[in-house]
């Protein structure tokens, strides 16, 4: 839903690859491409004419071994473009001048490309390399678009009137340029809405990047946002691009914005007001051109009143507020989401499940879903792992039945201290999802707390044993 068939993606991919090949082969400059591990993947015909090195002698070797200080190797290390880099190719003893560029897909560097010529022909090199650079960037953008798997509003399911109202509000908001704050419980679909808003905006052809404020240590979060620049003794600089710069022209999604400390709140407020920033320890001023979408499961209004969150930042980020209802408020939509998850699991697991039995459907409708849509997805995925026929039945939801039974058992007992109830719920969640990192992430989602909070509570439990 909202995604093109794989064969269309493959056809588009092959077409783009052919366009790139024609482009590279026609440029009268030497071109060399290496993967992110340094393995040389391609050289164009002019490369061989200039250097006397055939593709068979070059492709498959590692640029870090052949030319560790060359432009191509430097780009792979720094992730930054390099212009007018002079060096000597020892293999053929010619002096060259080169421009090199990272090839970035979905925010990650996947390869790098160098374009070079002998130093004696530099007058022609500038104009042709700039033209080639523009064509390469255009094609790289198309590859990035094709590889993107962001959701659209077609993936935001649900027919309950209250939920449909919120979806329509988000769809209208996507067409504006205002910052958007998405509020709701953990697992209710905040990130799904953020993806859909970006896809429905005028920035949809630009990057969509996420920063998870809950799972990045405070000491690293500033670098994650701003990047850094480290000067070395030889005056060369090492740059790490931050998400604010990588998302240029597109959308930056700040998840769990309520966890930002006071320093970063003030820093972000200043950046958004000034529309420019500098990397950590850097001097270069970078203009800001992004849309900010934030999400939180906290009551930011109360936090503002209590002095726990910047009022100015809150009002700046909350230009448009979207409150997503928890799944228990639109339980009728649980079956629609369940069918979607079954369809996706069928494709992933090679199964042919067509639906859910009436008894199992009633179980899904009666359950209160504290972990919201994320918990529902996990339950369906677990059921799909064990199903043997073409219908999910009550025995495939054994883990959910166990949780329901234990919850009801607790409800009918004598009252107990809240801290004891909390301990039991934590143990119940970990019993279900396991003690691995992934298991704890799922448990935290079901308990409606951040992973960091769960670790803190587990530490408290250990100290009290």
């Amino acid at each position: 839903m909202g995604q093109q068939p794989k064969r269309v993606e493959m056809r588009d991919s092959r077409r783009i690859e052919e366009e790139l090949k024609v482009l590279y082969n026609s440029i009268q400059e030497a071109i060399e491409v290496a993967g992110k591990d340094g393995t040389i993947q391609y050289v164009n015909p002019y490369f061989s004419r200039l250097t006397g090195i055939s593709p068979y002698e070059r492709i498959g070797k590692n640029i870090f071994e052949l030319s560790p200080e060359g432009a191509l190797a430097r780009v792979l290390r720094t992730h930054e473009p390099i212009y007018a880099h002079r060096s000597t190719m020892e293999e053929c003893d010619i002096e060259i001048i080169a421009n090199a560029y990272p090839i970035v897909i979905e925010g990650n560097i996947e390869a790098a490309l160098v374009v070079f010529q002998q130093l004696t022909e530099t007058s022609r090199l500038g104009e042709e390399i700039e033209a080639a650079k523009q064509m390469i960037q255009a094609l790289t953008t198309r590859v990035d678009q094709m590889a993107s798997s962001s959701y659209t509003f077609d993936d935001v399911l649900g027919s309950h009137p209250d939920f449909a109202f919120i979806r329509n509000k988000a769809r209208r908001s996507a067409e504006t340029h205002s910052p958007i704050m998405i509020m709701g419980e953990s697992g209710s679909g905040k990130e799904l809405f953020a993806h859909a808003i970006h896809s429905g905006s005028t920035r949809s052809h630009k990057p969509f990047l996420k920063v998870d404020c809950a799972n990045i240590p405070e000491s690293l979060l500033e670098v994650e946002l701003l990047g850094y620049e480290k000067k070395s003794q030889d005056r060369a600089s090492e740059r790490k691009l931050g998400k604010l710069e990588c998302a240029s022209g597109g959308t930056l999604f700040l998840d769990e914005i309520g966890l930002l400390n006071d320093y970063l709140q003030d820093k972000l407020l200043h950046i958004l007001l000034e529309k420019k920033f500098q990397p950590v320890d850097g001097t270069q001023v970078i203009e800001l051109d992004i849309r900010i979408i934030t999400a939180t499961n906290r009551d930011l209004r109360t936090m503002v009143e209590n002095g726990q969150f910047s009022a100015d930042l809150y009002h700046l980020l909350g230009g448009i507020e979207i409150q997503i209802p928890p799944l228990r408020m639109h339980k009728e939509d649980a079956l629609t989401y369940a069918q979607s998850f079954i369809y996706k699991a069928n494709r992933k697991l090679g199964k042919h499940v067509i639906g859910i039995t009436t008894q199992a459907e009633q179980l899904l409708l009666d359950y209160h879903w504290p972990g919201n849509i994320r918990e529902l997805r996990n339950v369906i995925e677990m059921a799909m792992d064990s199903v043997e026929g073409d219908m999910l039945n009550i025995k495939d939801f054994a883990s959910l039945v166990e949780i329901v039974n234990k919850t009801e058992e607790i409800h009918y007992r004598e009252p107990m201290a809240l801290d004891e109830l909390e301990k039991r719920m934590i143990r119940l969640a970990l019993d279900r999802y396991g003690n691995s990192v992934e298991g704890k992430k799922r448990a935290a989602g079901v308990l409606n707390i951040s992973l960091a909070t769960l670790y803190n509570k587990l530490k408290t439990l250990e100290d009290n044993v």
Side-chain angles (χ1 to χ4, degrees):
M1 297 196 289
Q3 298 179 354
Q4 295 180 336
K6 284 188 176 180
R7 58 173 173 264
V8 174
E9 292 183 2
M10 292 176 64
R11 186 170 65 245
D12 288 345
S13 178
R14 286 195 295 267
R15 186 179 69 251
I16 291 174
E17 288 176 0
E18 288 301 316
E19 291 176 354
L20 285 170
K21 187 179 295 185
V22 171
L23 170 65
Y24 293 163
N25 290 346
S26 64
I27 293 176
Q28 296 303 299
E29 313 293 344
I31 293 179
E32 188 174 35
V33 177
K36 59 184 178 182
D37 64 350
T39 302
I40 298 170
Q41 300 174 344
Y42 170 82
V43 295
N44 73 338
Y46 195 87
F47 174 97
S48 297
R49 289 200 297 272
L50 180 64
T51 65
I53 303 172
S54 71
Y56 303 101
E57 297 174 288
R58 192 73 171 178
I59 294 174
K61 294 187 178 180
N62 196 288
I63 196 64
F64 292 120
E65 297 173 0
L66 294 176
S67 183
E69 298 304 321
L72 192 55
R74 288 195 177 189
V75 167
L76 289 171
R77 285 197 299 269
T78 66
H79 300 182
E80 281 291 301
I82 292 177
Y83 303 105
H85 180 270
R86 297 188 181 190
S87 62
T88 299
M89 286 191 67
E90 296 181 359
E91 304 94 319
C92 53
D93 195 29
I94 62 172
E95 190 175 8
I96 64 172
I97 183 168
N99 288 5
Y101 316 95
I103 297 176
V104 178
I105 298 177
E106 293 187 315
N108 298 315
I109 183 168
E110 297 296 339
L113 173 147
V114 64
V115 183
F116 65 90
Q117 185 56 279
Q118 278 188 283
L119 189 58
T120 55
E121 301 181 27
T122 56
S123 58
R124 184 169 52 86
L125 179 65
E127 294 179 357
E128 294 189 2
I129 284 185
E130 183 59 32
K133 174 186 172 185
Q134 293 176 3
M135 288 187 286
I136 291 168
Q137 286 178 333
L139 286 171
T140 300
T141 299
R142 293 180 59 188
V143 172
D144 196 18
Q145 285 179 282
M146 185 191 69
S148 176
S149 60
S150 60
Y151 302 106
T152 70
F153 281 104
D154 291 337
D155 300 295
V156 182
L157 309 176
S159 57
H160 187 279
D162 292 342
F163 189 79
F165 174 81
I166 293 299
R167 182 179 56 222
N168 290 335
K169 179 181 179 180
R171 192 191 298 270
R172 293 192 300 271
S173 301
E175 300 172 357
T176 72
H177 298 285
S178 301
I180 296 176
M181 181 177 291
I182 306 173
M183 297 175 288
E185 295 179 4
S186 291
S188 57
K190 299 187 291 294
E191 184 171 349
L192 175 65
F193 268 81
H195 275 274
I197 289 169
H198 173 74
S199 297
S201 74
T202 57
R203 296 176 179 266
S204 60
H205 61 293
K206 294 293 185 177
F208 174 88
L209 297 179
K210 173 186 174 182
V211 174
D212 190 344
C213 302
N215 290 323
I216 300 176
E218 287 187 355
S219 59
L220 301 179
L221 192 51
E222 183 178 12
V223 171
E224 182 76 8
L225 286 169
L226 307 182
Y228 73 85
E229 183 174 355
K230 181 180 179 182
K231 299 290 185 181
S232 60
Q233 293 181 350
D234 62 358
R235 296 186 179 180
S237 62
E238 179 185 354
R239 281 285 311 279
K240 171 181 169 58
L241 300 185
K243 293 294 178 66
L244 285 170
E245 187 172 359
C246 290
S248 180
T251 300
L252 183 63
F253 174 47
L254 300 177
D255 197 13
E256 298 305 339
I257 187 68
L259 295 176
L260 280 187
N261 61 31
D262 293 343
Y263 169 76
L264 287 177
Q265 289 179 36
D266 291 340
K267 190 87 170 181
L268 183 59
L269 175 64
H270 178 76
I271 289 171
L272 295 179
L273 290 174
E274 296 293 328
K275 297 188 183 302
K276 58 186 177 182
F277 65 96
Q278 292 175 299
V280 175
D281 295 333
T283 57
Q284 180 183 0
V285 177
I286 300 170
E287 299 294 329
L288 187 69
D289 176 24
I290 59 173
R291 183 185 202 173
I292 298 287
I293 299 178
T294 55
T296 181
N297 61 8
R298 299 188 168 203
D299 185 350
L300 285 191
R301 289 193 184 95
T302 299
M303 291 179 67
V304 169
E305 293 172 0
N306 295 336
Q308 297 172 304
F309 195 86
S310 165
D312 291 334
L313 183 59
Y314 170 76
H315 293 302
L316 184 61
L317 294 176
I320 299 174
E321 293 187 359
I322 296 174
Q323 180 74 52
I324 303 178
L327 183 55
R328 62 182 175 276
M329 301 299 294
H330 59 111
K331 277 204 268 188
E332 300 90 334
D333 294 330
L335 299 182
T336 303
Y337 275 100
Q339 195 63 48
S340 171
F341 297 144
I342 289 171
Y343 171 76
K344 292 175 182 177
N346 276 333
R347 295 181 60 184
K348 179 181 179 180
L349 301 175
K351 295 189 176 183
H352 303 282
V353 176
I354 60 176
I356 308 173
T357 64
T358 301
Q359 187 181 15
E361 283 186 346
Q362 195 59 49
L363 173 68
L364 300 184
L365 290 173
D366 289 342
Y367 185 53
H368 63 289
W369 299 111
N372 294 294
I373 297 171
R374 182 186 298 140
E375 184 184 11
L376 173 60
R377 182 189 64 211
N378 293 338
V379 166
I380 295 298
E381 289 177 353
M382 292 176 67
M384 289 291 291
D385 284 336
S386 62
V387 66
E388 296 178 353
D390 61 0
M391 295 284 287
L392 293 178
N393 57 52
I394 200 74
K395 72 178 181 64
D396 297 312
F397 294 102
S399 60
L400 181 59
V401 172
E402 180 182 359
I403 290 176
V404 170
N405 291 338
K406 287 186 177 181
T407 303
E408 290 178 351
E409 181 183 352
I410 290 173
H411 285 168
Y412 287 108
R413 287 182 177 179
E414 290 296 320
M416 67 181 70
L418 289 177
D419 58 346
E420 179 61 28
L421 180 61
E422 181 180 75
K423 292 177 186 177
R424 296 192 181 194
M425 289 296 99
I426 290 174
R427 291 193 182 102
L428 181 61
L430 291 178
D431 286 343
R432 177 182 177 191
Y433 295 111
N435 282 291
S436 65
V437 174
E438 184 59 34
K440 287 174 181 174
K441 286 182 180 178
R442 290 187 174 190
V446 170
L447 294 168
N448 196 20
I449 58 177
S450 71
L451 182 60
T453 301
L454 176 60
Y455 276 113
N456 288 335
K457 292 183 179 296
L458 289 174
K459 181 66 166 58
T460 302
L461 290 178
E462 291 174 2
D463 292 342
N464 292 334
V465 173

